[in-house]
Amino acid sequence: MDFSQLEDADPSCADGSRVFYEREVPFELRSVDGLETPEEVGTLEAVRVKICVQGPDGAYTNVKIELCSESNLFFHYTHDLDTAAYAALQEGQRLMVDFKDYPAVIQRNLNNCIKQPHAFLAVLVMQKTGGARLDFIQNMEYKFVELLSIDLDSTPEEATRAHVTYRYNAMKGRLALCQARLADVNALVKIKNPSLLLQLKNEERSRKGVRSP
């Protein structure tokens, strides 16, 4: 099944970017109002993280990180930086990697949060004014160590709507493709082995609690 046409419509790639990484990652969500201290304990939620890059492999010119959630369609944050902006981040965070390795560093931290959720944490602190900060933290048993912290901006409403529309259409398109594929399989089984098709339909009726005619 070819999903390339759906992927071509992705607004994340409208600026010439391509998807480097995309997965759901367990995040702890905390909120803060102004200069107040963030909540000590947040809510755990699966957040879909997408890393997009521009430029050839090994010589990226731009890296963009997007956060969205299936539980809240209008939850959308963006971290977007080029080589110049990365230089400031590198100095502030004392990072030892070049810009070309930055996407892989973020990917590794995200995967650690998936594979070892008790040892590695992704904490998103959301400002009610719109911005957010993503902290990658390692639990060292006797203390918590902050590995990396990046700032994100709340995605503008118009762009967020474009992402919501894309996700809805992509899901609708995938469903249509799956239904078409299922119809093809049913037609093939009906020709090759009609009794098997009847058996499958009876089993499906049994699961749904419907008696066979």
Side-chain angles (χ1 to χ4, degrees), residues 53 77 85 97 107 118-119 123 134 156 163 169 186 197-198 205:
V53 296
Y77 290 91
V97 297
Q107 178 185 23
H118 298 294
V123 179
L134 175 58
H163 283 283
N169 289 334
N186 282 339
L197 181 61
L198 180 61
R205 290 192 185 99

Side-chain angles (χ1 to χ4, degrees), residues 80-199:
D80 194 344
L81 76 169
D82 55 17
T83 53
Y86 178 73
L89 175 66
Q90 184 180 34
E91 181 179 357
Q93 297 284 320
R94 298 182 179 178
L95 299 180
M96 304 300 292
V97 297
D98 296 328
F99 188 54
K100 64 181 179 63
D101 299 314
Y102 182 57
V105 169
I106 300 296
Q107 178 185 23
R108 184 163 59 250
N109 278 282
L110 293 168
N111 286 339
N112 284 339
C113 293
I114 295 172
K115 298 174 182 177
Q116 305 177 64
H118 298 294
F120 294 90
L121 311 173
V123 179
L124 184 68
V125 181
M126 301 172 290
Q127 294 276 355
K128 292 186 178 180
T129 53
R133 187 185 74 247
L134 175 58
D135 298 324
F136 291 106
I137 300 171
Q138 183 175 2
N139 183 356
M140 302 290 289
E141 294 186 3
Y142 55 91
K143 70 174 181 177
F144 290 97
V145 178
E146 185 176 294
L147 304 175
L148 177 64
S149 179
I150 61 175
D151 293 324
L152 301 100
D153 296 315
S154 180
T155 306
E157 183 177 350
E158 184 177 349
T160 300
R161 290 184 180 276
H163 283 283
V164 171
T165 301
Y166 162 74
R167 287 157 64 190
Y168 171 80
N169 289 334
M171 185 175 297
K172 186 177 178 181
R174 288 188 178 95
L175 177 60
L177 289 172
C178 290
Q179 289 175 333
R181 177 58 176 164
L182 179 60
D184 291 341
V185 172
N186 282 339
L188 181 61
V189 173
K190 185 176 182 180
I191 295 172
K192 299 291 186 180
N193 195 333
S195 61
L196 175 59
L197 181 61
L198 180 61
Q199 179 184 343

